[in-house]
């Protein structure tokens, strides 16, 4: 259910740059990208962005549940099979304040 919710959120927030099928575009390809295997990398990029490469931070836009849903979707969509990301894990990253 979390990945299904993440699919819609991905479409609304991420697909414009990463492609509807994770094929990339203005943002990097996510399908088959080994960096997606790192929960830390995925969650931190969603929360804090990657300003040098033009990715905005979504920490002020998405709540922990929404970030977990998108991360779970990205990490398990297309050819990726990297497991779930929980709301509690996202909350810990957010509390650590990695990008702010």
């Amino acid at each position: 259910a979390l990945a299904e919710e993440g699919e819609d959120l991905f479409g609304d927030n991420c697909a414009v740059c990463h492609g509807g099928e994770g094929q990339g575009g203005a943002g990097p390809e996510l399908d088959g990208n080994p960096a997606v295997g790192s929960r830390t990398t995925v969650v931190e990029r969603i929360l804090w962005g990657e300003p040098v490469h033009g990715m905005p931070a979504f920490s002020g836009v998405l709540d922990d549940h929404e970030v977990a849903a998108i991360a779970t979707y990205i990490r398990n969509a297309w050819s990726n099979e990297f497991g779930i990301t929980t709301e509690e894990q996202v909350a810990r990253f957010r509390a650590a304040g990695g990008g702010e």
Side-chain angles (χ1 to χ4, degrees):
L2 193 60
E4 288 177 20
E5 184 178 350
E7 182 175 12
D8 290 337
L9 289 164
F10 178 86
D12 292 343
N13 295 282
C14 314
V16 67
C17 292
H18 293 285
E21 298 299 316
Q23 76 274 19
E29 181 176 1
L30 299 175
D31 181 20
N33 184 333
V36 174
S38 168
R39 179 178 294 110
T40 300
T41 298
V42 173
V43 172
E44 287 185 349
R45 290 301 179 276
I46 295 169
L47 287 174
W48 315 125
E50 187 64 45
V52 172
H53 299 288
M55 181 170 168
F58 287 89
S59 60
V61 178
L62 301 170
D63 65 27
D64 293 345
H65 179 81
E66 292 168 324
V67 172
I70 292 171
T72 297
Y73 174 70
I74 290 169
R75 290 169 41 83
N76 294 283
W78 317 298
S79 65
N80 299 329
E81 294 182 23
F82 295 112
I84 65 166
T85 300
T86 68
E87 188 173 337
E88 294 77 19
Q89 289 167 325
V90 174
R92 286 194 296 271
F93 283 108
R94 191 185 298 270
E100 298 183 302

